[in-house]
Amino acid sequence: RVSNRRHDSVTPIATKHLVRAPLGSAQRLLHAFFAANPAPKGAGARIALHAGDATQAAIVVLQQAHRPQDMTPHYKVHWEADGGGPFPIFDGELLVGADEDYNAFWLQLAGVYTPPGGFAGQLFDRVIGRRIAEETSRRLLSKMAAAMERGFAGEELSKTRHASER
């Protein structure tokens, strides 16, 4: 589900991370990452988000947003703290972008988050909150990329073992 929460004061975030796996496997590997981290109530994935030494579990929901003209996978993404609380809520897009060759691809995250706490939250966001949100986004993409690369390497190893057993 993507939130319809009113965005009175939002902060933009944009980051990307290179995944060293074939572009053609991007969608399958992304879905495998989410399937390996199921949310307790069904929709989305439960993923630990990190910023500095702090960790907060979040429910991350992807919705297919692919249009006929899109050459690569495109999703709407929403996350908020598991169980609620005074944490930012993020709404945006996750795109898979081609690299220079087809042996790697980019995960590109862009969107806005709403800092909690009204005016005090907005002040906190201006001082340090934005940096925390940017770090959280970078670390999430890094975690996803690492899992996707491990998944691809495991698939390749399995193929090699299967071929050598013939």
Side-chain angles (χ1 to χ4, degrees):
R1 106 197 138 158
V2 174
S3 174
N4 291 326
R5 180 176 170 176
R6 187 169 163 225
H7 295 291
D8 292 329
S9 173
V10 296
T11 301
I13 293 283
T15 189
K16 65 183 186 175
H17 194 91
L18 185 67
V19 180
R20 298 187 190 292
L23 176 61
S25 64
Q27 187 165 353
R28 183 183 74 256
L29 294 170
L30 184 61
H31 287 277
F33 172 79
F34 275 78
N37 297 284
K41 295 181 182 167
R46 185 175 190 272
I47 300 171
L49 300 179
H50 304 277
D53 293 335
T55 300
Q56 172 61 47
I59 302 300
V60 181
V61 178
L62 287 184
Q63 285 183 342
Q64 190 83 292
H66 190 79
R67 301 166 302 187
Q69 67 268 30
D70 292 335
M71 299 298 288
T72 58
H74 180 176
Y75 302 89
K76 289 184 185 247
V77 63
H78 170 85
W79 75 67
E80 57 188 83
D82 187 13
F87 299 99
I89 294 175
F90 178 86
D91 286 298
E93 296 181 324
L94 179 66
L95 305 168
V96 173
D99 190 37
E100 293 176 7
D101 63 25
Y102 293 104
N103 293 319
F105 60 89
W106 291 94
L107 288 177
Q108 301 169 330
L109 181 67
V112 295
Y113 72 92
T114 305
F119 183 71
Q122 292 172 29
L123 288 177
F124 176 79
D125 187 56
R126 286 188 192 123
V127 174
I128 193 169
R130 181 186 180 104
R131 287 188 300 244
I132 293 170
E134 289 170 343
E135 179 186 355
T136 299
S137 298
R138 282 192 304 274
R139 289 179 71 177
L140 172 61
L141 289 186
S142 177
K143 176 189 273 190
M144 291 171 68
M148 294 168 83
E149 289 170 354
R150 281 192 309 273
F152 177 71
E155 290 172 357
E156 292 301 299
L157 182 60
S158 177
K159 288 178 191 175
T160 303
R161 286 185 184 152
H162 184 67
S164 67
E165 292 172 357
R166 291 182 187 172

